[in-house]
Amino acid sequence: MVAGVDHTDVPQGTRAARRFLTATAILAVANLAQPLGLGRDLGHAAVAALGVAAVVVGVRRNKPQLTAGWYLMAGGLGLWVIAGVLYSPMTLGGRPPFPSVLDGVFLLGYLTLAAGVIMLAGARRVPRDPATLIDSLVITAGVGYSSWSLIVGSRRGGGDAGVLAESVMAAYPSAAILTLAALAHLFTSRRPTGAAVGLLAGAVGAFVGTDVLLQGLIVHLRLGPTVIETGYLLGFLLCGAAALHPSMRIVSQRHDAPPRSIELLQITVVAVAVALVPVTTTVQLLQGRPVRTWALVLTFSIVIGLVLVRMLSMVHRLREQSARLERLADTDYITGLENRRRFAERLAASLGDPDDGRPPAAEAVLLVAVERLTEINETLGIRAGDELLTAVGERLLAEAGAGGIVARVGGDTFGVLLPGVGSGPQAAARADQIRDLFVEPFALSGLSVSVGGAVGIAVAPGDARTAPELLIRADLALVAARERRERVAHYAEQMESGATLTSQLMTELRAAMEDNQVVVHYQPQVELLTGRVYGVEALVRWLHPEHGLLGPAAFVPAAEHTGLIRLLTQYVLDRSLTQSALWRAAGRDLSVSVNLSVRNLLDPGFVTDVRRALERHKVGPASLELELTETMAMVDPDRSVEVLGALDDLGVLLSVDDYGTGYSSLAYLQRLPVRRLKIDRSFVTGLLGDPASAAIVRSTVELARHLGLTIVAEGVEDDETYLALRDMGCDAAQGFGLGRPVAAEAIPAMIDHIELRLPGLDLRRVPAQWRA
Ligand code: C2E
Ligand code: CA
Ligand code: CA
């Protein structure tokens, strides 16, 4: 909140306030030493005027956000000075008349001062709430009436002063109470800090104290005018010092306090103030003192009127709050769309009662899942994730059109309700369009990010007739859609069977590893310059008894989610090192590359696992390469850097897989202990036909050279690409065009063939079974 305060001039401003106080205090004391009379009164006024001037100067110097409150206070004090100067000559001729016009000026000054404090207290950005002002007025009326009655009542034969005089008499303590209430409000409306607010409180305290306490005591204690004068002057000077102090900017800032809730203390104080009126009257009656009926009626009417307004404003506020709560309960706070609750309500409303005899409504419910949301959240941050959701929501809204309803119904899931779409094919066509909304990348915090979408369909009345059923079935369809290549699925009865393919597979995977159903295939990696195979990449497969040979895409992502990945990586590592040792024994020096998953990098035990595995299989660390993607390293950069550093220290070679598909720059990668870049096959496969890909590969090769990294091109599917890469200065290649991933037993023959063929490339072709 102190944003506007320039800290360099704080001491300077503080000094100004201090100097002002010292100087004026000396003047004030000097003036008090003078004999009573016009001269002394004028001196008093002059010192007070200095206080007023200091407020104005302070506002100009400190340039606070809000100046009006301070100027009002200065105005109020100025009125007092003027009234004081005019009052003084009147006292020369003995007791001045009471009440006089000057009392009006004094009171106006008080009200202006109080208004200034109230303005400072109430400077919120949110809509103004009149409650506080009304409360202050009620308190003022209650306390004013009560003190007036007591003053008037305490006078023997009271009432001879006349209505006007009595009212004016009561007005002084009332104004003092109002100012105090305003000050209390300043303190409770927020927690103002700084010396200025303390000085201001001191000033108000001095004024009110002098008025209420000293004026009362003076009669009893025979205090001279010196005490009174000192009290008032103190108020003026403290006020001036407050404005001069730089921390006055803190009190003068607009603040963001939320609309105030109903406060018990505030209401209690108001209730007590209201009760003061009948209590005072009762006391008066009991003591046999006269009760001024007109004053009682007037005060009661005012108080009741104010309380009525206050209650109306409270009702209004409660209404607003309940409307706000209702809106909140129906809104998803990230996207601003409707939430699941509201979506279900809408669906139920548009489906109508299934038993009312009318023809059932035709509606399609599409549940749309944003894929890779967790990954985006983890790599780019929650804000990027929120941006993504908002952007998806916007695309869906545009797609759904005027009649459609879009809601966010789950973490990564949106619901789209399409009224009137009752047939399967019609709904499927819309679902395809919705899935294609994800083709164009999303711009997230300046990055262009591609994510996929999956759509589950359920249609009323065909699939279900009630909202809950329809939603459950769309959800089942969505689960199926996530597993399908086309990413769209319409509800079908067999989806009810419960376990999804993924969850079934995960329960089986552990046993499958023990059963040796999980196997590792190897794909050769070739040095471009020599045509020599220096290593192989280990790629996991599952020989599933029912589903056949499953590629990693079918179970690695799920293993990552369920935590089984730790076991799986360990398994592949073990198999690969066993194989590497066997090849070495047979005289083949092949390095083996194992793919890591993000969980491995976050796992503190992983480095030990790798070290133990190397020891167990008696394989040198240089023969092991570990592949990670750029995004993986960004999930938790600090932790990753630590794990990668430890692996590098171990002597293992680290490489960046799928380079070019993530968001990181080479500059970022440079901070990681990686030695090798594997350019993603999306740039390599199209190399010959697409100049952009060629340019990317060429510049990546050059940059990597400078950084001392070796470059491996993935996805080399033909000899022409192989030759082009060799031309560009790329170090190594891997791809179907050189050799597909095969079982370990097939590797020696494949390598022999490659090394025979590549040096004289144009002469011979790759045998059909090893080619794409
Ligand atoms: P990757 O690390 O990029 O592996 C290369 C993938 O590209 C392999 O697919 C390979 O069969 C395929 N490929 C190789 N040459 C060519 C080519 O010329 N053209 C085409 N179109 N594709 C080619 P695969 O075996 O299906 O593996 C897919 C991904 O699964 C791998 O991508 C890797 O990220 C992951 N993966 C494989 N094995 C493991 C593993 O043991 N652990 C982990 N965590 N992930 C693994
Ligand atoms: Ca790889
Ligand atoms: Ca790759």
Side-chain angles (χ1 to χ4, degrees):
M1 285 303 274
V2 213
V5 178
D6 178 356
H7 289 275
T8 53
D9 67 13
V10 167
Q12 206 187 344
T14 313
R15 224 178 301 136
R18 216 175 278 152
R19 259 194 234 135
F20 166 79
L21 268 186
T22 321
T24 47
I26 293 170
L27 286 179
V29 172
N31 190 57
L32 287 173
Q34 282 186 249
L36 290 176
L38 190 59
R40 173 161 156 177
D41 284 352
L42 291 180
H44 173 88
V47 181
L50 284 177
V52 181
V55 175
V56 177
V57 171
V59 173
R60 304 228 148 180
R61 273 171 72 158
N62 289 321
K63 298 196 177 54
Q65 218 174 47
L66 299 161
T67 52
W70 290 97
Y71 283 135
L72 270 181
M73 287 194 280
L77 297 183
L79 284 175
W80 278 354
V81 173
I82 294 168
V85 169
L86 297 176
Y87 187 76
S88 180
M90 298 199 325
T91 57
L92 294 179
R95 227 182 126 189
F98 179 85
S100 74
V101 183
L102 289 185
D103 285 298
V105 180
F106 268 124
L107 284 171
L108 186 63
Y110 233 139
L111 291 181
T112 317
L113 177 71
V117 181
I118 289 176
M119 262 195 107
L120 279 188
R124 322 162 166 272
R125 286 201 190 94
V126 293
R128 222 168 268 271
D129 175 6
T132 312
L133 181 66
I134 297 174
D135 288 352
S136 308
L137 292 177
V138 171
I139 294 168
T140 309
V143 175
Y145 174 79
S146 161
S147 48
W148 171 79
S149 299
L150 295 178
I151 291 167
V152 172
S154 69
R155 290 188 174 185
R156 295 283 151 235
D160 51 358
V163 172
L164 185 63
E166 286 176 0
S167 308
V168 171
M169 239 183 275
Y172 277 101
S174 302
I177 296 292
L178 179 66
T179 315
L180 260 192
L183 186 71
H185 179 41
L186 177 65
F187 272 91
T188 52
S189 65
R190 52 189 146 157
R191 254 171 224 98
T193 47
V197 78
L199 291 167
L200 194 60
V204 171
F207 290 135
V208 173
T210 309
D211 261 358
V212 176
L213 284 178
L214 295 184
Q215 298 281 29
L217 288 178
I218 196 162
V219 184
H220 301 285
L221 301 181
R222 298 169 177 280
L223 292 172
T226 307
V227 180
I228 308 256
E229 269 177 38
T230 312
Y232 280 125
L233 269 190
L234 192 63
F236 276 95
L237 302 184
L238 289 179
C239 204
L244 284 174
H245 199 277
S247 66
M248 64 89 82
R249 281 180 235 167
I250 304 172
V251 217
S252 322
Q253 263 175 344
R254 267 190 206 92
H255 51 114
D256 277 326
R260 300 226 291 159
S261 51
I262 301 129
E263 277 168 26
L264 262 186
L265 179 70
Q266 203 172 341
I267 288 193
T268 313
V269 172
V270 171
V272 169
V274 172
L276 272 180
V277 180
V279 167
T280 309
T281 311
T282 310
V283 169
Q284 281 175 307
L285 287 175
L286 285 177
Q287 295 184 340
R289 293 183 191 170
V291 172
R292 302 285 187 295
T293 323
W294 64 268
L296 185 62
V297 171
L298 183 70
T299 313
F300 243 130
S301 321
I302 291 175
V303 168
I304 286 172
L306 287 172
V307 168
L308 191 71
V309 174
R310 172 74 155 97
M311 276 162 70
L312 289 178
S313 100
M314 205 142 101
V315 168
H316 175 69
R317 206 162 70 197
L318 285 177
R319 279 220 187 106
E320 266 182 359
Q321 273 179 2
S322 78
R324 221 179 74 133
L325 283 178
E326 213 163 285
R327 265 199 313 280
L328 277 180
D330 281 345
T331 312
D332 166 52
Y333 69 102
I334 291 175
T335 58
L337 295 172
E338 295 178 352
N339 60 15
R340 185 179 192 100
R341 203 183 70 93
R342 184 79 187 116
F343 187 70
E345 267 177 18
R346 293 264 216 166
L347 182 59
S350 63
L351 284 175
D353 185 354
D355 304 322
D356 67 357
R358 277 187 287 175
E363 308 269 353
V365 170
L366 309 185
L367 290 184
V368 185
V370 182
E371 299 184 326
R372 290 180 44 206
L373 178 66
T374 319
E375 192 188 321
I376 302 278
N377 277 335
E378 283 176 351
T379 51
L380 300 181
I382 298 283
R383 270 194 41 205
D386 290 356
E387 274 179 55
L388 174 63
L389 287 170
T390 311
V392 170
E394 281 165 7
R395 287 190 192 179
L396 288 175
L397 268 180
E399 172 63 31
I405 291 167
V406 179
R408 178 161 169 249
V409 298
D412 62 356
T413 315
F414 290 83
V416 180
L417 174 60
L418 299 173
V421 178
S423 83
Q426 222 184 338
R430 297 296 294 269
D432 284 347
Q433 280 166 2
I434 286 180
R435 177 205 51 211
D436 293 343
L437 293 177
F438 290 86
V439 170
E440 193 186 319
F442 293 87
L444 306 181
S445 359
L447 294 165
S448 167
V449 177
S450 296
V451 297
V455 189
I457 310 167
V459 173
D463 297 326
R465 289 190 174 198
T466 66
E469 265 182 324
L470 207 55
L471 279 173
I472 289 173
R473 301 202 157 157
D475 210 27
L476 285 172
L478 178 60
V479 172
R482 286 177 190 263
E483 287 175 357
R484 292 197 188 167
R485 183 180 279 274
E486 67 272 20
R487 288 287 183 273
V488 171
H490 190 143
Y491 167 76
E493 221 168 295
Q494 64 268 27
M495 292 173 183
E496 302 277 1
S497 67
T500 65
L501 179 62
T502 314
S503 65
Q504 259 172 17
L505 280 181
M506 281 309 102
T507 42
E508 294 172 20
L509 182 58
R510 200 182 281 265
M513 283 191 262
E514 282 163 17
D515 271 6
N516 292 324
Q517 282 177 20
V518 177
V519 296
V520 179
H521 282 187
Y522 301 90
Q523 184 176 32
Q525 297 173 318
V526 181
E527 191 178 55
L528 283 174
L529 209 56
T530 59
R532 194 178 69 86
V533 175
Y534 65 90
V536 291
E537 174 171 5
L539 296 161
V540 70
R541 273 106 184 79
W542 182 351
L543 286 164
H544 196 278
E546 263 175 69
H547 304 295
L549 184 71
L550 295 177
F555 57 96
V556 167
E560 277 168 353
H561 287 131
T562 51
L564 262 180
I565 192 69
R566 189 174 170 186
L567 228 68
L568 187 65
T569 306
Q570 193 59 46
Y571 180 91
V572 175
L573 191 62
D574 255 323
R575 288 295 182 109
S576 307
L577 292 177
T578 309
Q579 197 52 57
S580 173
L582 284 175
W583 281 323
R584 188 162 318 252
R588 284 189 191 269
D589 191 8
L590 288 175
S591 74
V592 57
S593 307
V594 172
N595 289 285
L596 298 189
S597 131
V598 66
R599 290 266 190 133
N600 301 130
L601 284 193
L602 304 179
D603 175 3
F606 182 64
V607 181
T608 320
D609 288 351
V610 173
R611 186 167 46 76
R612 295 225 175 104
L614 286 168
E615 285 165 7
R616 202 164 47 240
H617 297 283
K618 302 196 171 56
V619 173
S623 298
L624 178 63
E625 177 177 339
L626 295 175
E627 300 189 2
L628 55 130
T629 62
E630 0 172 4
T631 18
M632 273 163 57
M634 285 168 75
V635 169
D636 183 347
D638 295 340
R639 190 112 67 97
S640 305
V641 165
E642 205 175 295
V643 171
L644 294 178
L647 290 170
D648 186 50
D649 290 345
L650 214 63
V652 171
L653 191 139
L654 297 172
S655 63
V656 173
D657 203 356
D658 304 344
Y659 178 74
T661 57
Y663 324 112
S664 55
S665 62
L666 270 178
Y668 172 75
L669 292 176
Q670 217 186 337
R671 296 200 284 142
L672 303 175
V674 293
R675 306 274 171 255
R676 191 171 280 177
L677 288 190
K678 300 186 73 177
I679 305 185
D680 189 66
R681 71 162 181 272
S682 54
F683 302 104
V684 176
T685 309
L687 186 68
L688 296 175
D690 174 21
S693 295
I696 289 171
V697 173
R698 194 183 299 275
S699 64
T700 309
V701 168
E702 270 164 30
L703 257 172
R705 269 275 143 80
H706 282 298
L707 298 173
L709 300 166
T710 55
I711 294 266
V712 183
E714 296 185 306
V716 177
E717 296 190 346
D718 48 50
D719 293 347
E720 291 77 8
T721 308
Y722 177 88
L723 292 170
L725 286 163
R726 194 165 71 181
D727 255 12
M728 287 180 183
C730 187
D731 299 287
Q734 181 183 344
F736 290 174
L738 304 168
R740 281 175 166 265
V742 291
E745 306 79 61
I747 280 290
M750 184 186 260
I751 291 179
D752 289 346
H753 182 86
I754 292 171
E755 293 188 341
L756 208 65
R757 181 181 83 87
L758 284 182
L761 189 60
D762 311 317
L763 304 176
R764 272 181 262 178
R765 310 287 305 169
V766 184
Q769 79 264 26
W770 291 335
R771 300 211 36 188

